[in-house]
Every structure is written in structure tokens, then in C-alpha cells.
Amino acid sequence: MRGLYEALMSASRAHAKWELEMSNNIIRNRKHLLILAIMMLPLIIPAIGHAANLPSFIGGKSAFGPSHYNPTMFYGSMAVGICAGLITGCIGAGGGFVITPALMSLGVKGILAVGTDQFHIFAKAIMGTVIHKKLGNVNVPLAIAFLVGSGVGVTAGGTLNRALFNANPVLSDFVISLVYVVMLGFLGFYSLYDFFKTRHQTGGDAHGGPVGMTKLAVKLQSINLAPMVKFDEDITPGGRKISGWFVAICGAVVGFAAAIMGVGGGFLTFPMFVYGLGVSSFTTVGTDILQIIFTAGYSSIAQYAIYGYIFYTLAMGMLVGSLLGIQIGAATTKVVSGIYIRAFYAIAILAGFVNRAFALPEKMVQMGYIQMDAATGKLLADIGAWIFFGLVILFAGWITLSFIKGIPTLRAETAKGAMASGGKGVSH
């Protein structure tokens, strides 16, 4: 269990680093900001606010529902994006986990929340990726084998999600909620236990460290099953080899999970590559950036958008909110102790767990699985939503206040860095 927890935490941290890099690439590049402005143009059309006669993928009333777009959902999506960005930037992990539960609490159907989250990730990847900087990291045979598998996994996950929704929308919401309950419950309670166990230790690195070769990776690399893929030639003399079948299987698992949950494909790529296949972190990062574009793009467009399961407006709202939140959250890490960051990570993840756990009884009543007064089931779901948004707002407020209080410190560090770079310039 400890090994699984560490693997998932490494995955979450790796995806958070990707999120931060993409956000920085967008905000610090005028061309990327122009692209973002163009993509935001549909939001200024007055009719958008009323969702009148719009295509379903934008969020019109013809969208599969009855969860259609309205102004409250749009502003809510921006708030969700800000909170997720604050969590990602400050904690360095876990921000993406709250998006789908939050959207579902705002009244968005589970399948629409998944599809919209996928499209938001795809849009961020397209705008934020600087391909030429990462080409040296990408192992093409490794990426091809992975993408073949992820294509199969995404197709299976998207098909299953749509089939569940078409059979029974309530069942679809129940399955998505249950998946989040299991994963967030495990991560939340284990991270809370980890916090209490290590809270008296000095220092406290909230963002993890390097990972070596595992016994599983050594075993898999020893199996000669064609076609063999060679990688890490620049890191290990002669490079390493592994069967393309193992890479494709990892891709299928990542693609399936991404299509079911709506989280970025990179969430599981890191532990599977580093822990399972023995690929270096250097190669994993480059290949992961490439696969996120294709996995999230294929999933959001081919499995959800063309069927009307994406709200473009909400995706753009989340994107803008997350860009702001990530910058504030990342700056806050310079003025907040790592041990507090670990504590709030546990609270944020458990908030998502409570949110979906309290929603399950109402779904089970609606499907006839349990006997309970409908009003009681709705009350439980509302309580879960109140607890969730209450904790997230409390956390967001704490980060924002810490950021404001730390502005003098941040300015002093910036000035010191400027003086140091200026001094180097003079000495040269």
C-alpha cells in the first residue's frame, strides 16, 4: 500500500509540474496569450450567457442533460479553475482531482464534467507546449508504442462512459463518483496519516525526490518479447530495452483512466514509466508532454465533443481560472512551510472524497438500490457539496492571504536575484 501511495503521489507531482510549466509558457509568451484571447472570444457573445440556440458542444440547451450551460456554471467553472490552480501551484500535486467533483456539484452531469475537463487539459497542452525545447527528451519508438495503447484505452473508456450514460444517466454519475471516492479516499486518508507521522520532522520536502530502478522494471526489461524498444541511450551506456507490448499496455491503462475520470493522461504515465518500465525521469517528461496532447485531444474530441459531451465555455473558464491560481499558488510555496503544504493537500483531497461519497446515497436511491427518503438523499448530497466548497474556499483563502502577507518577502527575493544577476553581468 505504501508503494502504491508513493507511486500515485509521484504521478500527481509530475502532472502538477507539467501544469505549472504549461501555465508559465502561456502567460509569459505574447503569442500564446493572443491564442488564448482568440479562444475566449465566444465567451463575450451575449447569447452565450443565456445558452440560446447554441451548438451542444458549446453548452446550448440541446446538449445532453438536462445540464445545460448558464452564467452561474461559467463563473463557477472559473472559481473551480482558480481553486484547482491554487492547489496545484501551492501543493505541487492534486489540483486536477477536484475539478470533476466540483463541476458535478455545480450541476454538470458526470460525463460532461469528464469531457469538459479533458478538453481544458488539451487546450492548455496545445497553447502551452514548446515542442522544440522538448524534442531531445522524446523517444519516438517509446511514444509510438504508448500512443497505440492509449488510443485503445481512450476508445474503451469513452465508449464505456457513453454507454453508461445512454443506459442510465444516474448510473453514469454513480460510477464516476465511485471511482473518485475510491481513489481520493485512498490518497486522502494515506496522506493525512503520512502528515501526522512526519509532522515533527524538520524541513519537509512537499514535492518528492528522484526515483531509482525498481525490481519490477528490472524484471520487465529482462523479458525479450518483440518488438523491443530502445531508450535512454544518452543516460545509460548502450541504453535500455523493453518490450513495446508492455509500453502499449501502460498506454492503454493511462488512456482508459483519463477517459473515465477526465484527469490528464500524465497523472499515471510517470509512475508507470519510472516505477514500472524503468524509463528515466528525463525521457518520461518529454514523452509525457507529447502523449498528453494526443491522449487528451483524442479523448476530448473523438470520444466526447462530437457526441455533445463538452461545454467549451466551461473549459475556457477553467483554463483562465487555473492560469491565475497556479501562479499565485506557486509563489506561495516560497513563504509557506512544506509541512503545512502536505497537511492542506490531505484536506483538499479529502474534501473531494467527502463530496462524492455524500452524493452516492442519492444516486443509489434514484436507481432503486437502497431505501431512503429522497429528501434525505438530497440533503446528504448538499451537505457533501457544502463541506467540499467550504474546505476548498478555506484553503483558497489561506493561500491567498499567505501570498499577500508574503509579497514583501517575494519582492525582496526578486530584488536580490536581480542584483545577483546584475553583479554577474558586471564581473563578465
Side-chain angles (χ1 to χ4, degrees), residues 7 10-11 14 137-150 211-214 216-218 220-221 229-232 240-255 265-292 295:
S10 296
N137 303 40
V138 178
N139 181 285
V140 176
L142 203 64
I144 291 174
F146 187 90
L147 290 174
V148 168
S150 72
V211 180
M213 280 275 285
T214 63
L216 175 61
V218 173
L220 292 180
Q221 289 184 19
V229 177
K230 193 173 183 179
F231 58 93
D232 283 348
R240 294 171 177 162
K241 289 184 179 180
I242 195 163
S243 173
W245 288 100
F246 298 143
V247 181
I249 290 172
C250 289
V253 173
V254 170
F267 166 60
L268 290 175
T269 308
F270 186 85
M272 286 190 168
F273 267 40
V274 176
Y275 288 89
L277 304 181
V279 182
S280 68
S281 299
F282 178 79
T283 303
T284 296
V285 169
T287 307
D288 187 36
I289 289 174
L290 182 65
Q291 76 82 17
I292 285 178
T295 300

Side-chain angles (χ1 to χ4, degrees), residues 405-419:
K405 290 180 179 179
I407 287 178
T409 303
L410 295 172
R411 283 180 176 174
E413 288 188 4
T414 302
K416 187 184 296 183
M419 290 179 62

Side-chain angles (χ1 to χ4, degrees), residues 332-346:
T332 307
T333 60
K334 298 178 181 179
V335 293
V336 176
S337 171
I339 192 66
Y340 292 113
I341 291 177
R342 286 203 296 270
F344 274 99
Y345 171 80

Side-chain angles (χ1 to χ4, degrees), residues 12-13 15-17 19-20 79-99 102 206-207 321-322 324-330 332-333 341-352 388-389 391-400:
S12 188
R13 286 189 289 261
H15 189 68
K17 289 179 181 178
E19 288 260 14
L20 181 59
V80 168
I82 291 174
C83 291
L86 287 171
I87 294 171
T88 297
C90 178
I91 297 174
F97 295 148
V98 304
I99 290 179
H207 299 151
S322 69
L324 173 63
I326 285 177
Q327 298 302 312
I328 296 176
T332 307
T333 60
I341 291 177
R342 286 203 296 270
F344 274 99
Y345 171 80
I347 293 173
I349 295 301
L350 285 175
F388 172 75
F389 284 113
L391 289 174
V392 169
I393 291 172
L394 179 66
F395 176 73
W398 174 76
I399 294 179
T400 305

Side-chain angles (χ1 to χ4, degrees), residues 11 46 67 69 100 110 307 351 406:
S67 177
Y69 173 83
T100 296
Y307 297 98

